[in-house]
Amino acid sequence: MALNKMHITTTLGIAFSLLTSTAAFSQEMETDTNDGFDAQSIEDDYVSIPLIEESSLTFTTGYDYSSGRFNLPSSTNISYVPYSIKMEKENWTFRASSGYISFAAPDNIITDENGAPLVTDIDLGTIDPNISRRKSGFGDVYLSASYSFENPYMDDFFIDLTGQIKLPTADERKGLGTGKIDYTIKLDAAYLFGNFMPFGTIGYRFVGETDRFDLQNSFFASIGAAYYLTYDTSIGVSYDYRESATPGFNSPKEIFSYVDVQLDDHWGFNVYGVVGLNNVTTDYGLGTQIRYKF
């Protein structure tokens, strides 16, 4: 089953794109030459405007660590170093991402999007489940395009529609991927009022058929909320669900939380944690990302 380390695929997508204005909107402080700056709330002092004047380029990298048992005698610990490049132009956002993966696990556990573990239907049979082999290398490449819809009646309501394709560059013989092309479509939405912003994601993933694994298309969703502590610092939490990509397996469910800080016009970073809620997902995960906007 495709475990949703949603952090990057769903929640981070909405939380770190919409919250830090990386979609088709930017936040610009209103000025009043008579009364000066009034810092009552994000909503009162900021207005959303389309990014129509210029394009921007952002590079992101970091480190992610997760651990899970998956009903096996020993834990599978995964280290993942992601990297991505994102270009924003008017209402469009284009992204290319991949990463380097390193972990040791039995043959029935491979890695999926953003280094998340995927528990497959491979029967270990008479193989000792305590036997693990080291698997490391570069993961699949993900290319996506998002369009942000402008709402003339509600400046603080954001909707992004994203299409994504997975290029199977990871070595399936090492257990780093399925070796097939996948397609994903998702819708992100958020509404900002005051310093508080609820957000949600809904999407569907079409997986490529493979002779080695029995996989199925899967629905996923996320719901959560963010709160601005300051204009540059926000915190958030979400509940993430993904329908099992392996028929007959439980669907993974997780709780994700994060802190995001924009240091200046160029640099920003976040730290996050995730806790799995059943036996087909990561028991826990921790990570950090740093980004630079050119």
Side-chain angles (χ1 to χ4, degrees):
M1 151 23 282
L3 305 185
N4 177 22
K5 239 190 205 180
M6 67 42 196
H7 4 102
I8 312 297
T9 333
T10 56
T11 304
L12 283 188
I14 184 75
F16 299 146
S17 290
L18 294 180
L19 294 188
T20 59
S21 304
T22 57
F25 292 90
S26 178
Q27 291 185 331
E28 183 176 85
M29 186 172 65
E30 292 180 335
T31 58
D32 188 326
T33 56
N34 296 323
D35 299 329
F37 176 67
D38 179 10
Q40 284 187 340
S41 70
I42 297 292
E43 184 180 37
D44 291 340
D45 298 314
Y46 278 62
V47 293
S48 299
I49 59 172
L51 287 175
I52 58 176
E53 296 85 0
E54 58 181 328
S55 61
S56 65
L57 198 66
T58 303
F59 176 76
T60 301
T61 187
Y63 178 76
D64 182 283
Y65 175 85
S66 64
S67 178
R69 291 287 295 272
F70 315 115
N71 284 333
L72 296 174
S74 59
S75 296
T76 294
N77 305 317
I78 301 176
S79 294
Y80 183 66
V81 179
Y83 47 86
S84 69
I85 190 75
K86 177 181 64 178
M87 184 184 74
E88 300 165 271
K89 179 67 174 179
E90 298 184 0
N91 288 50
W92 288 95
T93 300
F94 303 95
R95 185 192 306 266
S97 63
S98 186
Y100 187 85
I101 308 164
S102 179
F103 70 108
D107 287 340
N108 67 322
I109 297 179
I110 66 174
T111 50
D112 197 28
E113 186 172 359
N114 302 308
L118 188 153
V119 183
T120 70
D121 63 333
I122 290 181
D123 186 2
L124 296 178
T126 58
I127 301 175
D128 187 346
N130 286 298
I131 296 178
S132 297
R133 63 186 181 97
R134 172 60 57 180
K135 310 171 187 182
S136 59
F138 292 98
D140 295 313
V141 171
Y142 293 85
L143 305 177
S144 68
S146 300
Y147 184 82
S148 297
F149 295 91
E150 298 181 26
N151 189 325
Y153 305 104
M154 298 177 65
D155 287 341
D156 297 319
F157 184 62
F158 308 94
I159 297 179
D160 281 6
L161 180 64
T162 301
Q164 177 179 272
I165 181 173
K166 182 194 83 174
L167 303 180
T169 55
D171 191 341
E172 68 272 22
R173 295 170 300 178
K174 293 182 178 181
L176 301 177
T178 64
K180 299 297 180 180
I181 296 175
D182 295 344
Y183 301 93
T184 300
I185 185 170
K186 68 173 182 173
L187 184 72
D188 295 319
Y191 179 67
L192 175 67
F193 59 95
N195 292 37
F196 181 72
M197 186 169 76
F199 57 83
T201 296
I202 186 170
Y204 197 79
R205 183 180 184 187
F206 302 88
V207 298
E209 294 185 5
T210 170
D211 294 333
R212 187 180 184 191
F213 312 113
D214 181 16
L215 300 175
Q216 64 183 3
N217 300 335
S218 58
F219 161 84
F220 60 90
S222 175
I223 187 170
Y227 185 80
Y228 283 91
L229 300 175
T230 70
Y231 295 127
D232 299 318
T233 304
S234 63
I235 59 175
V237 63
S238 70
Y239 169 79
D240 305 299
Y241 167 88
R242 182 183 288 274
E243 183 181 9
S244 175
T246 303
F249 280 43
N250 291 331
S251 296
K253 306 174 182 69
E254 296 176 338
I255 297 294
F256 169 80
S257 61
Y258 74 91
V259 177
D260 188 83
V261 179
Q262 187 65 39
L263 298 174
D264 54 32
D265 290 341
H266 299 284
W267 291 98
F269 75 94
N270 63 70
V271 292
Y272 58 85
V274 59
V275 176
L277 301 180
N278 56 21
N279 60 2
V280 294
T281 189
T282 298
D283 292 338
Y284 68 91
L286 299 169
T288 184
Q289 290 187 349
I290 185 168
R291 59 184 179 267
Y292 182 82
K293 185 174 183 179
F294 296 90

